[in-house]
Amino acid sequence: MRMSPASLPRRALAEFTGTAALVAVIVGSGIRADALSQDIGVRLLANALASAIGLGLLIALIGPLSGAHFNPVVTLSEWWSGRPRRGGRDALAYLAAQLAGAVAGALLAEAMFGRAPGAALATEQRAEPHLLLGEAVATAGLVLVVQGLRRVGRPSLAPVAVAGYIGAAIWFTSSGSFANPAATVGRAFSDSFTGIAPGSVPAFAAAQLTGMLLGMGLAGVLYGTERAAAEPNAADSRRTV
Amino acid sequence: MRMSPASLPRRALAEFTGTAALVAVIVGSGIRADALSQDIGVRLLANALASAIGLGLLIALIGPLSGAHFNPVVTLSEWWSGRPRRGGRDALAYLAAQLAGAVAGALLAEAMFGRAPGAALATEQRAEPHLLLGEAVATAGLVLVVQGLRRVGRPSLAPVAVAGYIGAAIWFTSSGSFANPAATVGRAFSDSFTGIAPGSVPAFAAAQLTGMLLGMGLAGVLYGTERAAAEPNAADSRRTV
Amino acid sequence: MRMSPASLPRRALAEFTGTAALVAVIVGSGIRADALSQDIGVRLLANALASAIGLGLLIALIGPLSGAHFNPVVTLSEWWSGRPRRGGRDALAYLAAQLAGAVAGALLAEAMFGRAPGAALATEQRAEPHLLLGEAVATAGLVLVVQGLRRVGRPSLAPVAVAGYIGAAIWFTSSGSFANPAATVGRAFSDSFTGIAPGSVPAFAAAQLTGMLLGMGLAGVLYGTERAAAEPNAADSRRTV
Amino acid sequence: MRMSPASLPRRALAEFTGTAALVAVIVGSGIRADALSQDIGVRLLANALASAIGLGLLIALIGPLSGAHFNPVVTLSEWWSGRPRRGGRDALAYLAAQLAGAVAGALLAEAMFGRAPGAALATEQRAEPHLLLGEAVATAGLVLVVQGLRRVGRPSLAPVAVAGYIGAAIWFTSSGSFANPAATVGRAFSDSFTGIAPGSVPAFAAAQLTGMLLGMGLAGVLYGTERAAAEPNAADSRRTV
């Protein structure tokens, strides 16, 4: 079903809701796994599975409303590519909604687990050089998946493919694959398994933006310039997942 | 294949069978996981995977017969939305079948694992405030998934999406995501990994109904009023999964 | 692609190969998991995942050749229902191929793991009453899934649905869900994690056949008599997965 | 979307990139799992899940560019079968790209985890006879899956089926199912969980080539000679996944 284009406030609300739900899933499953398992590997398995499934569902449910970005990297790379063909005002509204949603989601997770929301910021330092390399790789891969699906004409696979990518990248990168500046900010508000100390956030965001550019470049090299491959039925197709 | 509409007794039998099988899967896999693993995280991974797959299969197999509710929250929210366009008699028959099925399923699981069915009620107290918040969130999300799939025109994804949702929500909520008053009652009849003390059942059911209302409200805010988006081919589509 | 009907010898060879591969996957992954993990729950998770995926792939690859039964319960229930419309000679050839394949697969697994094939029969006694109840439930569910998929017009889902069912049933039944007399015989030839003592095989096979009848009866009650629902395009559809 | 045929250099670049990403996923997730879990079974579960998902995504994204071989066994067996109908020059370019990519991917994984890339070759000896049997079985199965999907007219399932196969084969074979001479060479460059000592590489490659021949023979026996079953719409279909 192609839904009629939603107004910007409704789309921003969809981005807020989706990002909040995503971060609540990531942080909540992390807290629960941390409490239940003695083995860090088991904790991360549970956290990765829940996060991947949650992300996939949210893309399927909210994609037709706002495109289901939930991530400034996706919004910026789509805006950079001229998709959807809207101005910077839309992009700014998306970024604001994503940031607010990410913080709200982290606080909701804290409340669900009986912790005082906002009482403690995260203390886990993560800004080591090799972790930043991992984070750049994770984000480059995410951008390559999102753009590649469109370039091979399979944007409808986004819910499964993006979910699978994040579930795998949590394991194959050294950084745990945040790959999302908004979620990174949100995760600074929970001192738990998936938290990140506020002091590490700027470096992570910089690595993510670097990875975004790498991913866009790699997509260009592999698939050629977008204009050459553009076809009417492929244009803007992610919004009609 | 659109099956010819089944009679109410046949549909109620389908709800009884499906709910019994669902609760037998949840309780049975919980007992087995509890016996086999030393790590609570591993137990919950196995229990979540088996429960999610079982639920997805049952929706695929029984959806064409009765709509595959297996859950008073689904029946009530569908009845509230005027779907399927039937009176309260159908809803009452569904609720009775679900409750009876849930208890039967729990007793079957007990018997399969060599425990005297009905000999002991569950002793796990679960009515803490933050768990009730978790349960409301879990149920709101379930309703949002069910209604959202219809609103975005993808009801055929219900087996995979609802299964995935429950598998993830078992991890990201603090309560373990019962999200089903009938299954909650059934789980009171097994003093095991997935049990719930009878004294906690009313509070859980209240949290679930609250979550149902939250989920319906959130769906309305995100997707607009149902009437506006209604299309002939989307109406009542879940029954023809 | 609808393949031209294969000759009986070719179909029997397909059943032999598929059953051998299935049992090699079950027994092999059990031996490996047993060697690698300290936790029985983790072992069964790995064994269940590998077995489910292997079964699903084999159904997808061999379904178009022989129907991908790999299991006397499936062959007998299909023969009983008059599907495919062939005589008892075909069914007997299938049963013989399945039994021989199951033993060959167990011996291949033993050889792959550096154990002398056939040197030791299994020693794990499994014929307790509650395990036999579990095995009957497991087999009834399998038959219900196979027949239900056809009755709701979704036989093409068999690879995913049957695989998912077995993966879940390994957890929610007390018996580990052999649900297959041929595989049960094969597993008697490996004294390992998934083995079964020869003395327990007859009771397991009896429980499986009982479960088959229960499953056929339950399918009849839920979906009505097959004749009433038969449609041309649903007939014999499993062979053209 | 059927993409216009890419030039050989672009296809070789796609093979390089895909093989590098695949080996980075395998080696990276192995290093991370090794660091996080106390239980070897949990480590292998995480490593198998990440590797399978990564492979499936890469086949979906790069299949339309180069066929997504990432593996000399696939390139050779396709070339042997006359698919795609190109000369040996293409096959040689693919093999070179795969080998270079595999080494690059291993070094990237090492760097992501703060280890000096190339500082240490793997030390894990794996050339025992029963492991070589396991590796031959693993590779035969992979070839059977790839060729079987085409023979039953389902090449579009390759991303899910090949991914699932590798995820399962990591468990059901004794060797861990490298099943890829290029990845085997790459894994010699990382002294970690998924490494293989250089001295074991030749025996593994020989076992893999033997398995390739076994798989091609088995596919011929099961499905008949390719010529007999060839249909226009099935020809060369994997490149248009």
Side-chain angles (χ1 to χ4, degrees), chain A residues 4-23:
Chain A
S4 53
S7 66
L8 180 55
R10 186 178 293 273
R11 283 184 286 130
L13 176 65
E15 287 293 307
F16 173 87
T17 306
T19 313
L22 175 61
V23 173

Short mmCIF file of all heavy atoms in Angstrom, two decimals, chain A residues 4-23:
data_model
loop_
_atom_site.label_atom_id
_atom_site.label_comp_id
_atom_site.label_asym_id
_atom_site.label_seq_id
_atom_site.Cartn_x
_atom_site.Cartn_y
_atom_site.Cartn_z
N SER A 4 -0.58 7.91 1.35
CA SER A 4 -0.47 9.30 0.92
C SER A 4 0.64 9.96 1.73
O SER A 4 0.85 9.63 2.88
CB SER A 4 -1.80 10.01 1.13
OG SER A 4 -2.23 9.84 2.46
N PRO A 5 1.41 10.86 1.10
CA PRO A 5 2.55 11.48 1.80
C PRO A 5 2.09 12.11 3.11
O PRO A 5 1.11 12.85 3.14
CB PRO A 5 3.03 12.53 0.81
CG PRO A 5 2.47 12.13 -0.52
CD PRO A 5 1.19 11.42 -0.22
N ALA A 6 2.80 11.79 4.18
CA ALA A 6 2.43 12.35 5.48
C ALA A 6 3.02 13.75 5.61
O ALA A 6 4.03 14.09 4.99
CB ALA A 6 2.94 11.44 6.58
N SER A 7 2.38 14.56 6.47
CA SER A 7 2.90 15.91 6.74
C SER A 7 4.21 15.80 7.50
O SER A 7 4.50 14.77 8.13
CB SER A 7 1.87 16.67 7.56
OG SER A 7 1.76 16.07 8.84
N LEU A 8 5.01 16.88 7.46
CA LEU A 8 6.29 16.84 8.16
C LEU A 8 6.11 16.60 9.66
O LEU A 8 6.84 15.77 10.23
CB LEU A 8 7.07 18.13 7.89
CG LEU A 8 8.44 18.21 8.58
CD1 LEU A 8 9.31 17.02 8.25
CD2 LEU A 8 9.16 19.50 8.18
N PRO A 9 5.17 17.25 10.33
CA PRO A 9 5.02 16.95 11.77
C PRO A 9 4.71 15.47 12.02
O PRO A 9 5.25 14.87 12.96
CB PRO A 9 3.85 17.84 12.19
CG PRO A 9 3.87 18.98 11.23
CD PRO A 9 4.33 18.39 9.92
N ARG A 10 3.88 14.89 11.18
CA ARG A 10 3.57 13.47 11.39
C ARG A 10 4.80 12.61 11.12
O ARG A 10 5.07 11.64 11.84
CB ARG A 10 2.41 13.05 10.48
CG ARG A 10 1.93 11.62 10.76
CD ARG A 10 0.75 11.22 9.88
NE ARG A 10 -0.45 11.95 10.15
CZ ARG A 10 -1.34 11.58 11.08
NH1 ARG A 10 -1.14 10.50 11.81
NH2 ARG A 10 -2.42 12.31 11.28
N ARG A 11 5.55 12.97 10.10
CA ARG A 11 6.76 12.19 9.83
C ARG A 11 7.78 12.34 10.96
O ARG A 11 8.45 11.39 11.36
CB ARG A 11 7.38 12.62 8.49
CG ARG A 11 6.62 12.04 7.29
CD ARG A 11 7.28 12.40 5.97
NE ARG A 11 7.05 13.78 5.62
CZ ARG A 11 7.97 14.65 5.26
NH1 ARG A 11 9.23 14.26 5.18
NH2 ARG A 11 7.66 15.89 4.96
N ALA A 12 7.90 13.57 11.48
CA ALA A 12 8.83 13.77 12.59
C ALA A 12 8.37 12.98 13.81
O ALA A 12 9.20 12.39 14.53
CB ALA A 12 8.94 15.26 12.92
N LEU A 13 7.07 12.94 14.03
CA LEU A 13 6.55 12.14 15.15
C LEU A 13 6.88 10.66 14.94
O LEU A 13 7.25 9.94 15.89
CB LEU A 13 5.03 12.32 15.26
CG LEU A 13 4.34 11.47 16.33
CD1 LEU A 13 4.79 11.87 17.73
CD2 LEU A 13 2.82 11.57 16.21
N ALA A 14 6.76 10.21 13.71
CA ALA A 14 7.10 8.81 13.41
C ALA A 14 8.58 8.55 13.69
O ALA A 14 8.95 7.51 14.25
CB ALA A 14 6.75 8.48 11.96
N GLU A 15 9.45 9.49 13.32
CA GLU A 15 10.88 9.33 13.59
C GLU A 15 11.16 9.34 15.09
O GLU A 15 11.98 8.57 15.59
CB GLU A 15 11.68 10.44 12.91
CG GLU A 15 11.79 10.28 11.40
CD GLU A 15 12.64 9.08 11.00
OE1 GLU A 15 13.77 8.97 11.48
OE2 GLU A 15 12.14 8.23 10.23
N PHE A 16 10.45 10.23 15.81
CA PHE A 16 10.62 10.27 17.27
C PHE A 16 10.22 8.92 17.88
O PHE A 16 10.96 8.33 18.66
CB PHE A 16 9.77 11.40 17.86
CG PHE A 16 9.74 11.41 19.36
CD1 PHE A 16 10.72 12.06 20.09
CD2 PHE A 16 8.73 10.74 20.05
CE1 PHE A 16 10.69 12.05 21.48
CE2 PHE A 16 8.70 10.72 21.44
CZ PHE A 16 9.69 11.39 22.16
N THR A 17 9.05 8.45 17.50
CA THR A 17 8.53 7.21 18.09
C THR A 17 9.44 6.03 17.75
O THR A 17 9.79 5.20 18.61
CB THR A 17 7.11 6.93 17.56
OG1 THR A 17 6.30 8.08 17.80
CG2 THR A 17 6.51 5.72 18.23
N GLY A 18 9.83 5.95 16.49
CA GLY A 18 10.65 4.82 16.06
C GLY A 18 12.02 4.83 16.72
O GLY A 18 12.52 3.77 17.15
N THR A 19 12.63 6.00 16.81
CA THR A 19 13.95 6.06 17.44
C THR A 19 13.86 5.76 18.93
O THR A 19 14.72 5.08 19.50
CB THR A 19 14.60 7.44 17.20
OG1 THR A 19 14.47 7.79 15.82
CG2 THR A 19 16.06 7.43 17.58
N ALA A 20 12.80 6.27 19.56
CA ALA A 20 12.61 5.97 20.99
C ALA A 20 12.44 4.47 21.20
O ALA A 20 13.06 3.87 22.10
CB ALA A 20 11.39 6.72 21.52
N ALA A 21 11.62 3.85 20.38
CA ALA A 21 11.40 2.41 20.53
C ALA A 21 12.70 1.65 20.28
O ALA A 21 13.03 0.70 21.02
CB ALA A 21 10.31 1.94 19.56
N LEU A 22 13.44 2.07 19.26
CA LEU A 22 14.69 1.37 18.95
C LEU A 22 15.67 1.43 20.13
O LEU A 22 16.25 0.41 20.53
CB LEU A 22 15.32 2.00 17.70
CG LEU A 22 16.69 1.48 17.31
CD1 LEU A 22 16.63 -0.01 17.01
CD2 LEU A 22 17.23 2.24 16.10
N VAL A 23 15.84 2.62 20.68
CA VAL A 23 16.80 2.76 21.78
C VAL A 23 16.29 2.05 23.03
O VAL A 23 17.07 1.44 23.78
CB VAL A 23 17.12 4.24 22.04
CG1 VAL A 23 17.98 4.40 23.28
CG2 VAL A 23 17.84 4.83 20.83
#
